[in-house]
């Protein structure tokens, strides 16, 4: 989902991201209106064997969000703040991509962001990109991983307070109407993890 990402020198504008996604959606809509159908996976193909392109289908739709965020990760502090808000996720490319808009408010202010998720059928993994509405920039590198036994784990390595750390995203407790997300940091090569962002979501009533 969306997190307090660390500083990176490689960034793209959110405007460019939304434009690319909008173009992709427009092309798909045009093809559907013209009576074109996306090709089905051939028997034995990577997509058919794994089905990973639908791992994030549970996220499609509108959600109510409760967020707990640690103010000062990896500092020895245990101060947390809480937010409430909403998110909306839209499917692209028949499930091989989606875009989520995220917005919450709490004592520390307003948190607004956007997540782009892309599925690679060759690696059978997802790449997750987070953009903070405050800066209007897309953070790189992507956080990459996959789902196994109902739990999704995604990792990357980033700079944080002048040091290289590991970052982990974890999706769990997934039902048709709820899901749980955690972000954690590790400064010892993955031996121990400190959770600093916890999101619980329930599906919004239509």
């Amino acid at each position: 989902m969306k997190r307090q990402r660390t500083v990176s020198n490689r960034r793209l504008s959110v405007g460019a991201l939304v434009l690319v996604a909008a173009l992709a959606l427009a092309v798909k809509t045009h093809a559907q209106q013209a009576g074109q159908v996306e090709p089905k996976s051939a028997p034995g193909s990577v997509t058919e064997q794994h089905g990973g392109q639908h791992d994030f289908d549970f996220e499609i739709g509108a959600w109510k969000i409760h967020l707990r965020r640690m103010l000062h990760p990896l500092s020895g502090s245990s101060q947390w703040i809480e937010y409430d808000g909403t998110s909306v996720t839209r499917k692209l490319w028949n499930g091989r991509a989606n875009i989520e808009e995220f917005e919450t408010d709490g004592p520390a202010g307003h948190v607004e962001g956007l997540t782009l998720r892309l599925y690679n059928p060759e690696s059978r993994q997802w790449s997750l990109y987070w953009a903070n509405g405050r800066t209007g920039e897309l953070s790189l590198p992507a956080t990459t991983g996959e789902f196994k036994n109902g739990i999704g784990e995604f990792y990357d390595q980033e700079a944080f307070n002048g040091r290289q750390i590991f970052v982990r995203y974890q999706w769990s407790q997934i039902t048709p109407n709820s899901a749980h997300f955690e972000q954690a940091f590790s400064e010892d090569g993955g031996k121990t993890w400190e959770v600093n962002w916890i999101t619980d979501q329930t599906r919004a009533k239509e």
Side-chain angles (χ1 to χ4, degrees), residues 72-126:
H72 306 290
L74 302 181
S75 68
S77 171
S78 59
Q79 185 179 3
W80 290 76
I81 53 177
E82 300 190 17
Y83 302 77
D84 287 290
T86 60
S87 72
V88 177
T89 301
R90 298 174 176 83
K91 183 190 296 188
L92 298 170
W93 300 346
N94 193 33
R96 298 191 305 278
N98 62 68
I99 286 183
E100 176 186 6
E101 296 177 80
F102 174 90
E103 188 169 1
T104 60
D105 289 283
H110 186 69
V111 178
E112 186 174 14
L114 181 149
T115 300
L116 171 67
R117 305 183 182 100
L118 301 173
Y119 179 69
N120 185 327
E122 294 186 2
S123 66
R124 307 181 186 185
Q125 292 186 319
W126 286 85

Side-chain angles (χ1 to χ4, degrees), residues 60-195:
I60 306 306
W63 299 85
K64 292 182 178 179
I65 298 293
H66 181 72
L67 164 66
R68 296 181 63 232
R69 180 172 71 87
M70 182 181 287
L71 275 179
H72 306 290
L74 302 181
S75 68
S77 171
S78 59
Q79 185 179 3
W80 290 76
I81 53 177
E82 300 190 17
Y83 302 77
D84 287 290
T86 60
S87 72
V88 177
T89 301
R90 298 174 176 83
K91 183 190 296 188
L92 298 170
W93 300 346
N94 193 33
R96 298 191 305 278
N98 62 68
I99 286 183
E100 176 186 6
E101 296 177 80
F102 174 90
E103 188 169 1
T104 60
D105 289 283
H110 186 69
V111 178
E112 186 174 14
L114 181 149
T115 300
L116 171 67
R117 305 183 182 100
L118 301 173
Y119 179 69
N120 185 327
E122 294 186 2
S123 66
R124 307 181 186 185
Q125 292 186 319
W126 286 85
S127 295
L128 281 51
Y129 301 86
W130 162 247
N132 190 311
R134 178 173 50 83
T135 63
E137 295 177 327
L138 184 69
S139 296
L140 297 174
T143 307
T144 304
E146 61 191 304
F147 281 81
K148 290 183 178 179
N149 300 318
I151 296 177
E153 290 194 341
F154 308 86
Y155 297 88
D156 70 50
Q157 187 173 10
E158 303 178 14
F160 184 75
N161 291 340
R163 301 184 60 189
Q164 289 295 313
I165 65 167
F166 287 125
V167 177
R168 181 186 69 195
Y169 293 177
Q170 186 178 82
W171 282 95
S172 64
Q173 303 175 37
I174 298 168
T175 76
N177 295 305
S178 62
H180 180 83
F181 171 87
E182 294 184 359
Q183 174 185 269
F185 290 170
S186 174
E187 56 183 350
D188 57 11
K191 294 178 182 179
T192 61
W193 294 90
E194 179 185 79
V195 176

Side-chain angles (χ1 to χ4, degrees), residues 41-61:
S41 300
S45 68
V46 168
T47 299
E48 182 180 80
Q49 289 174 354
H50 179 63
Q53 76 176 62
H54 296 292
D55 285 341
F56 273 106
D57 279 6
F58 73 90
E59 258 293 86
I60 306 306

